[in-house]
Amino acid sequence: MSQLFVAQIVLPKLGNNGESLESAHAFIRQSLCKHFGGFTALDSFGGWIDPDSGVEYLEAGITYQTGMADTAENAELLRVIAIEAGIMAQQLAMAVTLPNRAFEILTIAQEESRNAEA
């Protein structure tokens, strides 16, 4: 068996207007089970500052962890899962940690246009 590394996807608990994101959370859970055999879900809390307005946003989230081999295919699949969940949750961006420990912020609009061109 190849060595496994922890990879992560973070999704807010609630949408931008306080709406439930259960369908996006269920999608992440089901996808991680299907492709990587399981997950651990951890309560998390994070924030960011809008570079245009300077407004600080703080929100509770769930960090989904899974174990996977450090391959380009697994990293890309994790990105695809995060982008799809981000679209479902109407997020501007999604945070992922890849199995090589690289942290990425995936901008949903950029990823959607990149996928449309492919």
Side-chain angles (χ1 to χ4, degrees), residues 24-111:
H25 284 282
F27 173 77
I28 292 174
R29 292 189 303 264
Q30 292 163 3
S31 297
L32 295 178
C33 285
K34 176 182 176 183
H35 296 289
F36 304 111
F39 68 91
T40 298
L42 306 170
D43 282 330
S44 56
F45 188 83
W48 60 284
I49 296 176
D50 184 315
D52 297 325
S53 67
V55 173
E56 179 182 48
Y57 294 92
L58 302 173
E59 59 192 7
I62 297 178
T63 299
Y64 292 94
Q65 296 182 328
T66 192
M68 65 180 67
D70 182 13
T71 66
E73 294 82 14
N74 283 344
E76 186 57 27
L77 182 53
L78 190 74
R79 288 184 190 101
V80 168
I81 294 168
I83 291 163
E84 184 61 32
I87 292 167
M88 293 171 73
Q90 299 181 334
Q91 296 296 294
L92 297 176
M94 292 290 289
V96 298
T97 305
L98 302 176
N100 68 1
R101 299 178 205 73
F103 179 78
E104 293 183 359
I105 300 292
L106 306 172
T107 305
I108 301 300
Q110 289 176 345
E111 296 297 329

